[in-house]
Amino acid sequence: AIALIDRDGDLLRNYRKNGEVFENLLTMAYVRDCHGRRRYCVGLQLDLTGLESDDGPWGQEALSSEEGRALIEETSKKYTMLIKLLPQMLPVPPPPVQISNREAPSAVASGAWSCPQLAALAAALGQPAPDREGTNWAAVLYHLLDQTPHAAVVTDMGVPGLPLDYCNAGFAALTAWPCEEAIGHNCRFLQDQRTEPEALAALITAI
């Protein structure tokens, strides 16, 4: 499903690496640079199907129960809250050349910077405020997203083709795609001809 903060979601069916179908709620938000351009698209994916082999609360059997549906509803609300904590604008301009946000030698490393929204996001995730010395905004965000067990992806919208710039272990568990294989590719590898065209059109329009 697509939940763009200000709109209701629609179910979206995706496919794991082995072809297995799963449904997920994708909550998205954009972060603009200081020139008003969309710089990043951040997505949090909530598994609505679960794995048959998982006997925990997020397994297929548990999610199909009344308690599972309540857990999905509660987590969906949490996702909306977390995504709203992202800043609407980066406190620094985009780097003049493409760099690895994960490695983050970054153009902002030479000066002090702060981002209250990232600090609030860290607090919401129960994490200490990350060290910002010698790193950049995206690397700090990626560090925080590493701490959540649920799937998270980030697209650098300054790169042609909109490939994934980041995904976490939750994404790899949900889709069965290792992060090293997913990063650098557009997320259309999760779709096939059976993906609902209306929901997919809404997603493309939103991006």
Side-chain angles (χ1 to χ4, degrees):
I2 305 162
L4 296 176
I5 297 180
D6 59 349
R7 59 157 288 169
D8 295 329
D10 303 306
L11 282 178
L12 182 66
R13 182 177 296 125
N14 285 146
Y15 302 86
R16 307 188 205 278
K17 188 176 183 181
N18 62 4
E20 181 182 354
V21 176
F22 71 95
E23 292 181 341
N24 68 109
L25 179 70
L26 175 60
T27 305
M28 294 168 50
Y30 300 102
V31 180
R32 299 177 184 273
D33 63 27
C34 63
H35 302 291
R37 297 174 298 204
R38 287 179 176 178
R39 186 68 174 88
Y40 295 101
C41 177
V42 181
L44 302 178
Q45 289 178 279
L46 178 58
D47 187 4
L48 304 181
T49 302
L51 292 169
E52 187 176 357
S53 59
D54 185 353
D55 58 2
W58 288 99
Q60 191 174 101
E61 182 177 352
L63 288 181
S64 64
S65 68
E66 184 175 342
E67 292 80 7
R69 289 190 290 272
L71 177 62
I72 288 173
E73 179 68 22
E74 177 186 355
T75 307
S76 175
K77 292 178 180 178
K78 180 180 179 181
Y79 272 24
T80 301
M81 178 195 72
L82 289 176
I83 210 83
K84 286 182 177 180
L85 291 175
L86 292 171
Q88 294 184 353
M89 182 178 295
L90 285 171
V92 293
V97 295
Q98 182 63 26
I99 60 172
S100 168
N101 285 310
R102 172 61 79 176
E103 296 174 0
S106 189
V108 302
S110 59
W113 62 280
S114 63
C115 182
Q117 292 92 342
L118 282 182
L121 181 62
L125 292 172
Q127 299 295 321
D131 184 13
R132 300 184 303 274
E133 185 66 29
T135 189
N136 67 5
W137 183 92
V140 173
L141 173 66
Y142 297 174
H143 171 77
L144 291 175
L145 294 178
D146 279 341
Q147 314 310 311
T148 178
H150 298 293
V153 295
V154 180
T155 296
D156 186 338
M157 304 198 66
V159 180
L162 302 179
L164 293 181
D165 191 60
Y166 166 87
C167 60
N168 65 358
F171 172 88
L174 173 64
T175 67
W177 281 93
C179 289
E180 60 270 20
E181 293 185 29
I183 290 174
H185 298 278
N186 185 286
C187 59
R188 67 174 63 92
F189 61 78
L190 296 175
Q191 307 158 8
D192 75 358
Q193 65 272 18
R194 295 169 292 176
T195 301
E196 300 88 335
E198 294 83 4
L200 184 57
L203 176 60
I204 293 172
T205 300
I207 294 177

